[in-house]
């Protein structure tokens, strides 16, 4: 992960917020942090406490100026609301993450700048950036704290390199039943319903059974669940599968 | 937004965390919150303080049990780590958001369950869900607080319905220059370089100028920036564009 972007916090105020940012960035697998003149100094007890162990996995470097903190980087993104008076391209957080993955694959050193808690990045700091990153959110109420902004950038970075399938298989508490096992259950259900004179007329039985069959297949039960339903049917009708009453 | 999913917080502990969740959800345009037996009661002064105005835009309803809180919903997602002993499909946060948008478009009432801060959802609550939502994050360090989990769900919900272009045009501090304006600047630069005998030989001039031309077009300057560069050239060479020395 040495080609993952560096995060640079410019003039962060409270240690708690630095700690929360550390925790947030590590969630997305980002491990290099640079601090530019943190107000309350570094290291910070409150940061360590809030970081909840994240600091053990991070490298943190301290700088006096933004210029020094970004000097070795080749592409710099700035996370900020869309500025009014700086001419820079603006990309969404998700797009920035894709670009950062591409730059990492090309071996380039990249970084993302974040401003102080309330004020955000000053124009003097934005001048070091090539690109602005904004998070598209509710235009009527956009209210992210520093750690949340870091979290969204880290989350998108992770997503952009993640091969998790969007839909995962259910956890294999038991193996899914085979079609034949479900069909066996359908037969048992049919026998059970016959035994209690469930079907009002012979004509109505086929469509009802068709719907019940579709429902059971749609359920995709596990083999264990199929056994459980067999047991329930047996209990409710008082009939074993072999037709003998108990 | 009446078809947006309801968020249901089951047994939340601290008012601060409820307030932070309120703020997080509104960032993504989610406005319906249900609370199941919050430990410290409701309304909560600490929640109101941390919500930073978000409560004004939310409807919040209080319930005694999870069963009552989800009773009117048609599809229920549960945000939790992948459970070991419940048979439910598991989807990523991004996929869940797409599904929720689809369900909303079909007019279905949906909700997303979140468990208490540390413990997460109990299996008894998971039984009300149709689908588990997990956030793919650093497997070596996944550490989200309640409001951060809510933020990621709300963010993905917003993204799934957002038509923001991934790459936005630079803010129009000034209009981008036309190709002709950039070419005019190239000519001025060429004259300026000629005037100071910059080109070592006549043969080397064309490739150098080709590279400079490409660089200036790649810059995509605004009309104002073009004027500024004209001024800089004039100042540095002591020559006006009409060829007269100052």
């Amino acid at each position: 992960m040495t080609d993952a972007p560096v995060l640079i916090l410019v003039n962060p105020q409270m240690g708690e917020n630095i700690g929360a940012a550390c925790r947030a960035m590590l969630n997305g697998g980002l491990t290099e942090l640079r601090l530019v003149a943190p107000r309350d100094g570094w290291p910070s007890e409150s940061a360590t406490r809030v970081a909840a162990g994240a600091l053990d996995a991070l490298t943190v470097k301290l700088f006096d100026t933004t210029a020094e903190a970004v000097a070795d980087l080749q592409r710099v993104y700035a996370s900020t609301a869309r500025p009014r008076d700086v001419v820079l391209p603006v990309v969404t957080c998700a797009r920035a993450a894709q670009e950062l993955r591409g730059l990492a694959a090309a071996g380039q050193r990249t970084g993302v700048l974040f401003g102080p808690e309330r004020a955000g990045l000053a124009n003097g700091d934005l001048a070091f950036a090539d690109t602005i990153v904004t998070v598209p959110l509710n235009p009527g109420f956009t209210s992210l704290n520093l750690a949340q902004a870091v979290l969204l950038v880290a989350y998108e970075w992770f997503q952009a390199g993640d091969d998790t399938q969007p839909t995962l298989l259910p956890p294999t508490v038991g193996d899914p039943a085979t079609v034949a096992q479900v069909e066996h259950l359908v037969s048992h259900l049919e026998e059970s319903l016959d035994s209690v004179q469930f079907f009002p007329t012979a004509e109505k039985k086929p469509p009802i059974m068709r719907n019940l069959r579709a429902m059971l297949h749609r359920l995709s039960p596990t083999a264990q669940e199929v056994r459980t339903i067999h047991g329930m049917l047996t209990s409710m009708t008082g009939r074993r599968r072999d037709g003998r009453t108990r």
Side-chain angles (χ1 to χ4, degrees), chain A:
Chain A
M1 291 290 260
T2 53
D3 288 330
V6 171
L7 293 199
I8 305 119
L9 305 187
V10 179
N11 304 137
Q13 310 288 302
M14 294 178 65
E16 284 83 353
N17 296 333
I18 302 174
C22 290
R23 191 177 150 189
M25 68 188 278
L26 190 55
N27 271 290
L30 300 177
T31 57
E32 274 192 77
L33 179 65
R34 298 180 181 181
L35 301 175
V36 178
R39 186 191 66 187
D40 297 342
W42 190 263
S44 153
E45 272 184 36
S46 53
T48 304
R49 177 170 44 75
V50 174
L55 279 169
D56 298 340
L58 302 185
T59 61
V60 184
K61 289 183 187 159
L62 199 58
F63 295 84
D64 290 329
T65 65
T66 303
E68 292 166 281
V70 300
D72 63 321
L73 303 179
Q74 292 166 292
R75 281 292 298 276
V76 178
Y77 288 72
S79 172
T80 185
R82 198 168 163 175
R84 303 238 161 264
D85 48 1
V86 176
V87 180
L88 282 175
V90 180
V91 300
T92 61
C93 194
R95 174 58 172 252
Q98 289 166 356
E99 293 181 1
L100 286 163
R101 286 279 172 184
L103 293 163
Q108 294 196 22
R109 291 284 291 156
T110 59
V112 186
L113 286 167
F114 292 84
E117 286 88 337
R118 290 187 189 282
L121 285 166
N123 280 354
D125 296 315
L126 282 182
F128 292 104
D130 309 295
T131 308
I132 302 286
V133 185
T134 56
V135 182
L137 287 170
N138 180 0
F141 186 91
T142 300
S143 170
L144 293 182
N145 63 33
L146 178 60
Q148 287 173 325
V150 168
L151 177 68
L152 291 177
V153 167
Y155 166 72
E156 287 289 9
W157 163 260
F158 191 84
Q159 295 262 104
D162 185 39
D163 57 1
T164 302
Q165 293 300 310
T167 303
L168 309 174
L169 293 173
T172 50
V173 170
D175 270 343
T178 62
V179 173
Q181 287 172 323
V182 176
E183 281 299 304
H184 186 200
L185 180 60
V186 171
S187 303
H188 188 185
L189 179 61
E190 181 175 351
E191 291 166 22
S192 302
L193 294 175
D194 274 334
S195 80
V196 297
Q197 285 86 43
F198 171 77
F199 300 106
T201 65
E203 297 76 48
K204 289 190 174 165
K205 183 176 166 183
I208 291 173
M209 279 312 302
R210 199 158 51 235
N211 287 339
L212 291 174
R213 166 175 282 113
M215 194 181 77
L216 284 170
H217 283 291
R218 196 180 76 225
L219 175 65
S220 299
T222 64
Q224 176 56 54
E225 288 171 335
V226 166
R227 284 192 291 275
T228 301
I229 301 173
H230 275 301
M232 287 162 49
L233 290 172
T234 301
S235 293
M236 286 191 289
T237 61
R239 294 176 79 254
R240 301 227 320 251
R241 275 241 71 202
D242 54 15
R244 288 185 293 182
T245 47
R246 277 190 302 191

